[in-house]
Amino acid sequence: MTIVSLKDFSLSYTKDSPPALHRIDLDLNSGESVIVSGLSGSGKSTLCLAVAGFTETFPAMTVSGQIIRSESADGKPLRVGIVLQNFYSQVTYLRSTVMEEIAFPCENLGLPRAETARRVSDAIARIRIGHLAQRSPLELSGGEKQKVVLAAAIAGKPDLLILDEPLSQLDPESTSYLGEVLSELKQELALLIAENDPYLTLKVADRLVVLSEGKIVADGSPETVIGPSTASCLDLPAWTKCVAKAYEGSVADDNRMTRQYELNYRKALSLLRGSE
Amino acid sequence: MKVKYENVSFNYSSTAALKNISCEFDSGKTILVAGHNGSGKSTFLKLMNGILKPTEGRVILGEIATDGKRTSELARLCALSFQNPDDQLFAQSVKKELRFGIDNIGGGDGLYDSIVDTLHLGGQLQSNPYALVYAMRRLVVIGATAAMGTPILALDEPTAGLSIREKEYLGNLISFLKARGTTVVIVTHDLNFMLPYSDDMLLLSHGGVQFSGGRDEFFTRSDARDLMKRSGIGYPMYARISSALDLEKAAFDADEIAEWARKKRAGVTQRTNGQHQLEGA
Ligand SMILES: Nc1ncnc2c1ncn2[C@@H]1O[C@H](COP(=O)(O)OP(=O)(O)OP(=O)(O)O)[C@@H](O)[C@H]1O
Ligand SMILES: [Mg+2]
C-alpha cells in the first residue's frame, strides 16, 4: 500500500536558488525500504525533510506539486519518525538518563507506561546500548548519541521511519549489526533512508533511488540501478572498483551488482587473479 | 611537530575515557585513530589541542607539555575540527569562517588560497555557512581549521556525511598538508577511504591502546584482524581483497590492486579486455 506519494513535487529554498527537488514523482509503500543515494547537494536531505512534512514550515520556500500521505491503520494521520543528518540537535537533554530520553517519543504519544517500558527495552536491546541506559545523554560520545537518537525513533514505532545517514558516526561493527536491525525493521514499518554506503544499500534496500541535482535519475532494485549510468553519483564496493580499474572500465560497463555480493566478490577475486 | 602521550589517563565525571595510554608519533606523519564508539578517540584529540587536560600523565607536542599551558597557546600548535561541524561554525560567511584562522593564528594568504582551491569552496565564499548542505558545512569547518596553519592538525570523523566527491577533495587537502610537513591526526571509521593517506595507526579499545605504530607494520602482523576486531573495526576491504589474492603485502586502494592484477595478466596471458564479466546472479 502506498503511504506517501510525491506528485510532480518541486521545492526551492529561496526564490532565486535552483530547485533542491525538481519534479519528483515517488511512491513510498508500506513494508518497503527505500534508500536514496546521490552526491551531497543532490537533494537527499531535502527529500527526507519534505516527506516528513518539515519543509511546510520553511518561510522563503517555494513548492509546487503535491505530497499525499495516507492515514495510519487506526485512522489517525500517518505517523512519521525522522532521524536528522545532524542528530545532535535531536537529543532533548531534558532527561537525566538515556533510558528516559528513549522513552520521550512514546510519552509524547501518550502510551501506557507498561507499553512504553516494553518498547524502550526492546529498542535498547536492538541497538545494543544496554551499557548506556543509565548514563546521562549529555555525557556520551558522538556515535553513542547517534545510537540513542536511533533507538528513540524506533521506540516511537512510526508508520514511516526516515533516516538521514543514520550510521554516519558508527563504528564498522555497529554499522554491520545495525544493517541487520534495519532489515528486520522493514517487516514492521516503511523505511526511507538517505545513505551512500554501498554495503548498507545492498543489505537493506528493496529499492534504490538515485538523485542528481534534485532529480530522480534512477529508481529500482539495487541490482538494476547500480551500474554505469549511476556510477558517477554512487560509491561502489571496493572489489567493483578494483575490477573496473584493472579492466579499464570494460567490466564495469557490464556490471550489475546483486544482493549476493559475496558471490560477486568471489568472482571479482578470480577475475583479478586472472584465473577465470 | 612530534606528538607524544606519556601514561595518559582521562576521566570524565563518571567515566574513565582513557586509561594509561602511551604512544608517540613523529613530526609530519599522518596518523589514523580508530576504535569502537566510545573507545576514547574524540577524547584523545581533545587532549591534543588542550581543550581537555590529562587527569594523569602528560601530552607533549614537540617539546611542550599541554598541562599548565593555556588553551590559546595550544591553539597555535594543534587545531581541531570537531565531530559535529555545527558546534564550530560561527561566522556570517564562508569567507569569514576561513579567514578567521588565517587572520588570528596566521596560516598566510597562500595557505588560504590553497585551501579554498583544494576544497572547491571558491563558489561559496559569500554564503552563510548555515545555509550550506551538511557536507559543505563539514568541508568549511575542516578548511577553517586547516587555515590556522598549525603544525598539528586534528580531524574528528572528517568523512562523515561527505559523498565521494567531497571525500576526494578532503584526500587532496590531506596530501597537500602532508607535503607542507603538517602532522595530521585523523579519527575515522572510514578506513577504506583513509588508509592510503596514512603513515601510522592508533587503535583504541575501551580507553586502552590495542596498537600504535606504522600502518604497514600493522598489516604484516598475524594478529592484525584480531586487533581490529577487538577495536570494533572490520578488516578493511582492500586488505581483505589483498589477502584473498595472496598479495605479498596489503594494498590500500583500488589502484594498487588493479595495478597488481594488470601486471599479472600481462605476464601470464594475453587475454583481451571484455572477455571477463562480473555477472549478476
Ligand atoms: N562529556 C562527557 N561526559 C562524560 N562522559 C563522556 C563525555 N564525552 C564522552 N564520554 C564518555 O567517554 C568515553 C569516550 O568517549 P569519546 O567521545 O572519546 O569516544 P569516541 O571514541 O570518540 O566515540 P565515537 O566513535 O562514538 O565518537 C565514552 O564512554 C563516552 O561515553
Ligand atoms: Mg568521537
Side-chain angles (χ1 to χ4, degrees), chain A:
Chain A
M1 188 187 97
T2 300
I3 55 173
V4 178
S5 184
L6 287 86
K7 297 205 184 299
D8 201 12
F9 183 80
S10 300
L11 183 157
S12 304
Y13 280 101
T14 62
K15 269 211 191 93
D16 329 306
S17 58
L21 293 174
H22 186 69
R23 310 201 66 168
I24 301 288
D25 284 301
L26 181 71
D27 285 346
L28 303 174
N29 304 309
S30 52
E32 191 182 52
S33 60
V34 176
I35 288 200
V36 187
S37 295
L39 295 178
S40 91
S42 60
K44 302 188 296 295
S45 294
T46 307
L47 182 68
C48 289
L49 294 172
V51 170
F54 281 19
T55 53
E56 283 151 30
T57 60
F58 290 5
M61 211 184 55
T62 49
V63 273
S64 64
Q66 279 181 298
I67 301 182
I68 302 159
R69 296 181 186 80
S70 73
E71 286 181 342
S72 195
D74 55 12
K76 292 192 178 141
L78 191 77
R79 280 193 301 272
V80 181
I82 185 166
V83 173
L84 300 170
Q85 187 162 34
N86 191 346
F87 56 89
Y88 290 99
S89 62
Q90 285 183 287
V91 185
T92 67
Y93 301 120
L94 296 170
R95 304 310 177 93
S96 57
T97 68
V98 161
M99 204 159 193
E100 289 162 1
E101 179 76 37
I102 296 170
F104 195 63
C106 297
E107 288 167 7
N108 267 344
L109 290 169
L111 295 177
R113 275 193 165 194
E115 172 67 5
T116 298
R118 209 182 50 71
R119 288 194 188 185
V120 169
S121 64
D122 175 61
I124 286 177
R126 279 190 171 177
I127 309 291
R128 302 192 194 171
I129 48 173
H131 60 293
L132 302 175
Q134 297 308 325
R135 296 266 301 272
S136 158
L138 279 167
E139 301 179 346
L140 298 175
S141 73
E144 290 167 346
K145 280 184 186 160
Q146 192 166 28
K147 288 179 189 173
V148 169
V149 172
L150 206 53
I154 288 174
K157 287 204 179 166
D159 300 306
L160 169 64
L161 180 56
I162 302 171
L163 305 170
D164 195 349
E165 300 209 26
L167 312 179
S168 61
Q169 309 286 339
L170 301 193
D171 62 57
E173 194 177 298
S174 307
T175 306
S176 156
Y177 74 70
L178 284 168
E180 308 289 341
V181 171
L182 294 177
S183 303
E184 284 165 28
L185 266 183
K186 71 185 184 198
Q187 319 294 328
E188 302 159 35
L189 41 78
L191 285 168
L192 175 66
I193 308 175
E195 180 60 62
N196 279 322
D197 177 44
Y199 305 101
L200 190 79
T201 302
L202 290 164
K203 202 176 224 168
V204 177
D206 294 314
R207 251 167 84 200
L208 173 60
V209 173
V210 181
L211 289 177
S212 175
E213 298 178 352
K215 296 182 195 122
I216 293 181
V217 294
D219 178 357
S221 67
E223 349 355 40
T224 56
V225 166
I226 302 175
S229 63
T230 52
S232 64
C233 307
L234 297 174
D235 200 1
L236 298 174
W239 67 84
T240 311
K241 292 185 201 163
C242 296
V243 173
K245 287 201 164 155
Y247 291 85
E248 276 141 18
S250 58
V251 172
D253 284 349
D254 213 328
N255 177 22
R256 290 274 184 273
M257 242 160 307
T258 76
R259 225 162 271 237
Q260 294 160 291
Y261 56 91
E262 282 302 324
L263 185 71
N264 269 352
Y265 175 63
R266 264 179 256 123
K267 280 190 186 169
L269 291 182
S270 51
L271 266 175
L272 290 166
R273 231 185 246 125
S275 62
E276 201 177 76

Side-chain angles (χ1 to χ4, degrees), chain B residues 45-65:
Chain B
L45 288 194
K46 288 176 183 164
L47 285 162
M48 196 176 300
N49 100 322
I51 309 177
L52 300 177
K53 300 285 167 57
T55 310
E56 275 173 67
R58 296 199 306 167
V59 174
I60 305 162
L61 310 179
E63 305 299 324
I64 301 161

Side-chain angles (χ1 to χ4, degrees), chain B residues 6 17-19 21 33 53-54 57 110 147 180 215 217 224 227 232 238 240 245 250 274-275 281:
Chain B
E6 269 179 7
L18 291 174
K19 301 165 193 161
I21 71 162
V33 182
K53 300 285 167 57
R180 274 174 59 101
R215 174 196 69 177
E217 178 206 332
L227 287 172
Y238 294 109
R240 268 180 62 186
L245 291 169
Q275 199 173 322

